[in-house]
Amino acid sequence: MISSLIARILPKKRIRQPRIYHAAQHTIRAGQIDPAALSVIRRLHSSGFQAFVVGGAVRDLLLERRPKDFDIATNATPEQIKPLFRRAFIIGRRFKLVHVHVGRDVIEVSTFRTVQTDENATDEHGRLLSDNVYGTQSEDAMRRDFTVNALYFDPLSEEIWDYVGGVNDIRARRLKLIGSPVTRYREDPVRMLRAVRLAGKLDLTIAPSSEKPLRKLAGLMAHIPPTRLFEETQKLLLSGNAEKNITEVRHYHLLPGLDALLLDENAEHFAALALKHTDDRINIGKTVSPAYLFGALLWPMVTRERDVLLAAGGKPLPALLEAIDTVFERYAHKLAMPRRFQTMIRDIWVSQPRFEQRSGQRPYRLFGQPKFRAAYDFMLMRGENGEVPEELCRWWTLFQDADEEGRQLLIHQLAKTTDDKRSRHRRRRKTAAKLAANGAESS
Ligand code: ATP
Ligand code: MG
């Protein structure tokens, strides 16, 4: 009797059953799983636990892409996982997970979690304050963001367990939030940026129901803690897909800080150049510095501020330095840019006028600066944007590639042409003065 009473008072918990895809019904094979992850899963299984590859890796394999990493989800708690491995460390204070070290690899193992749904679990905007409670596998699936990210692959049976229709969505190349999109974006507005980034990266279309609320909810971005916003902005910018990502993000106004910076065509153009260069470098396997990119996004604002000061009679260098301070103060936090980037960005910016000084030892001194390469790349970009003469860019490219003799020659030639120009100028002035004097005499 009591149990039927309890059953009536407590909301019925719907136990979801997964749709199980057997090996013959999909393309993922155990051989595609990283051996270290495989060994961790075997160990958990043999100790009587469930363990699956989960999230991005399963999604990527179904899309025939190479996964970045292989995360594992299990019903074992961190305290149960740790003693099973020689080198395993429980990390995270708020939410504990286990890092299992296998050779040089680190495999992240997390316990199935659920989302708390009571009122205290969210702030006044509906943002989740904690996702810290262990749960069942089906609850773990439901707390994930997109259906394609909530698939579990068991390499021992080669089965995919799907609680949310993720396999069908992958087949339809559809990125769809699990549950009510508005609630899920409110719980964690970063999901809006993830939608744009994952759709771009994986060439998926955001499902209409998940796409529709984006513009309307863009204002929620203001409530994301800066460190998370920065982390996700970095991912958008450093994925090799920045140009496309930023176009989409701007379409939905998801980064108001960026909208505030790209005020005119010049700023748009410079940002587009910077994003394209970043993508090009990443796509050929070169490294990029996020500070450099942030420096580029902020630069048009610096020139704008500097020009105002110059127009008011300021001198070039002090005007530049003051403009830099103003921009850091007013705009850097809008991009959630960490303060530690400021030193590098300032170095790059302050170096810019020094590229114009090419006599004597000056080019060598600039060349010897630790940030020379970044500052030079930055100058080339300004060249492409029409801010610096092509001749200056060409000269510095030659200077860098030249040997000592070549460098001397470049400085010498430049001094000569400058001298020539000066003396030509002087001669012209003299002639003009003479003519004027003659004219005055003859009249
Ligand atoms: P990537 O290839 O960029 O790493 P990913 O999907 O693996 O993409 P991660 O940030 O590594 O992204 O997250 C791993 C998994 O955790 C995701 O696949 C998803 O299931 C879940 N997840 C990540 N972020 C969120 C979020 N904001 N809300 C809900 N679930 C999330
Ligand atoms: Mg991942």
Side-chain angles (χ1 to χ4, degrees):
M1 219 202 47
I2 289 180
S3 63
S4 70
L5 192 69
I6 291 174
R8 244 185 294 148
I9 296 167
L10 288 178
K12 249 203 212 121
K13 213 173 200 176
R14 206 151 44 102
I15 311 267
R16 278 177 174 260
Q17 293 303 327
R19 169 150 186 205
I20 295 178
Y21 291 84
H22 300 286
Q25 296 168 292
H26 66 85
T27 53
I28 309 180
R29 292 297 160 263
Q32 291 172 283
I33 307 302
D34 172 57
L38 211 52
S39 73
V40 173
I41 289 179
R42 284 219 178 88
R43 187 87 189 90
L44 284 160
H45 269 258
S46 63
S47 310
F49 297 109
Q50 285 182 300
F52 298 82
V53 177
V54 68
V58 186
R59 173 199 73 204
D60 290 351
L61 287 172
L62 280 176
L63 288 166
E64 289 172 15
R65 302 171 71 96
R66 184 201 282 273
K68 230 173 34 196
D69 38 37
F70 290 82
D71 296 333
I72 294 175
T74 174
N75 59 351
T77 63
E79 290 72 20
Q80 289 171 321
I81 301 164
K82 189 174 152 59
L84 301 179
F85 301 95
R86 214 155 40 88
R87 286 189 300 147
F89 306 93
I90 298 180
I91 59 149
R93 242 178 301 161
R94 210 168 63 92
F95 183 76
K96 287 189 207 160
L97 13 110
V98 183
H99 277 178
V100 180
H101 293 242
V102 185
R104 265 196 261 148
D105 295 316
V106 180
I107 303 295
E108 195 168 288
V109 185
S110 53
T111 308
F112 295 147
R113 282 184 261 177
T114 184
V115 259
Q116 282 171 299
T117 42
D118 60 84
E119 252 175 50
N120 300 335
T122 57
D123 71 6
E124 72 269 33
H125 308 286
R127 196 167 65 85
L128 272 182
L129 297 171
S130 123
D131 54 352
N132 206 4
V133 182
Y134 300 139
T136 64
Q137 185 181 24
S138 77
E139 288 168 334
D140 190 71
M142 300 305 291
R143 71 158 180 96
R144 292 176 184 273
D145 46 6
F146 301 100
T147 62
V148 300
N149 279 349
L151 298 170
Y152 299 78
F153 176 66
D154 175 350
L156 306 183
S157 64
E158 294 191 326
E159 287 170 354
I160 295 175
W161 291 29
D162 179 2
Y163 291 88
V164 291
V167 172
N168 280 335
D169 284 339
I170 284 191
R171 289 178 179 162
R173 303 199 74 88
R174 185 163 52 213
L175 190 67
K176 194 169 150 210
L177 275 169
I178 298 168
S180 144
V182 172
T183 312
R184 301 307 309 281
Y185 287 139
R186 281 190 182 283
E187 281 175 2
D188 181 7
V190 167
R191 289 174 186 151
M192 298 196 266
L193 293 177
R194 283 178 59 85
V196 167
R197 179 170 64 83
L198 290 174
K201 165 173 142 170
L202 304 167
D203 207 10
L204 304 177
T205 308
I206 305 179
S209 59
S210 301
E211 200 239 24
K212 206 162 159 248
L214 286 176
R215 253 175 205 256
K216 224 175 73 204
L217 298 181
L220 294 173
M221 301 304 296
H223 310 295
I224 302 175
T227 43
R228 273 204 81 206
L229 182 58
F230 172 66
E231 212 176 282
E232 193 53 40
T233 309
Q234 284 230 90
K235 285 191 184 172
L236 283 165
L237 294 176
L238 305 179
S239 59
N241 215 5
E243 225 185 337
K244 190 169 155 199
N245 283 344
I246 293 303
T247 309
E248 289 299 300
V249 158
R250 297 204 65 215
H251 172 72
Y252 299 114
H253 300 298
L254 292 179
L255 288 179
L258 196 59
D259 291 342
L261 281 180
L262 307 182
L263 281 180
D264 54 27
E265 232 172 82
N266 172 50
E268 294 261 6
H269 189 239
F270 197 67
L273 274 175
L275 295 171
K276 189 174 173 325
H277 279 272
T278 305
D279 285 347
D280 288 349
R281 280 184 72 93
I282 290 175
N283 294 328
I284 55 169
K286 285 194 187 172
T287 56
V288 296
S289 136
Y292 177 90
L293 187 52
F294 278 101
L297 294 175
L298 291 164
W299 174 251
M301 218 24 125
V302 174
T303 57
R304 187 184 259 250
E305 293 289 329
R306 180 202 60 195
D307 292 347
V308 171
L309 294 167
L310 287 178
K315 293 231 159 39
L317 190 59
L320 177 63
L321 296 177
E322 193 180 329
I324 291 174
D325 286 339
T326 309
V327 167
F328 278 150
E329 211 171 285
R330 279 199 216 145
Y331 299 98
H333 67 276
K334 293 195 177 182
L335 294 180
M337 188 188 91
R339 280 188 81 82
R340 64 191 149 86
F341 284 10
Q342 288 191 7
T343 319
M344 173 171 176
I345 297 177
R346 192 188 296 272
D347 281 353
I348 293 177
W349 287 347
V350 174
S351 301
Q352 295 308 305
R354 295 181 61 192
F355 281 99
E356 282 155 42
Q357 300 162 1
R358 290 177 284 171
S359 60
Q361 289 302 304
R362 285 169 163 183
Y364 289 97
R365 279 204 291 273
L366 181 56
F367 189 53
Q369 294 285 314
K371 289 284 169 283
F372 173 81
R373 185 69 211 191
Y376 160 77
D377 283 341
F378 200 86
M379 181 203 48
L380 291 190
M381 228 162 52
R382 291 173 59 226
E384 269 184 75
N385 197 35
E387 274 180 57
V388 220
E390 258 176 60
E391 179 275 323
L392 191 71
C393 299
R394 260 201 312 273
W395 191 91
W396 276 101
T397 307
L398 290 172
F399 185 84
Q400 272 193 90
D401 297 339
D403 56 11
E404 181 46 36
E405 208 179 318
R407 285 180 186 155
Q408 285 295 339
L409 198 65
L410 276 164
I411 295 175
H412 181 72
Q413 276 173 345
L414 191 73
K416 197 166 166 303
T417 45
T418 319
D419 276 353
D420 286 352
K421 258 194 219 152
R422 269 204 208 116
S423 47
R424 229 179 306 149
H425 189 66
R426 227 178 285 136
R427 264 204 308 277
R428 236 184 265 138
R429 266 216 321 249
K430 262 191 199 156
T431 322
K434 239 188 226 159
L435 283 175
N438 287 344
E441 258 168 39
S442 57
S443 64

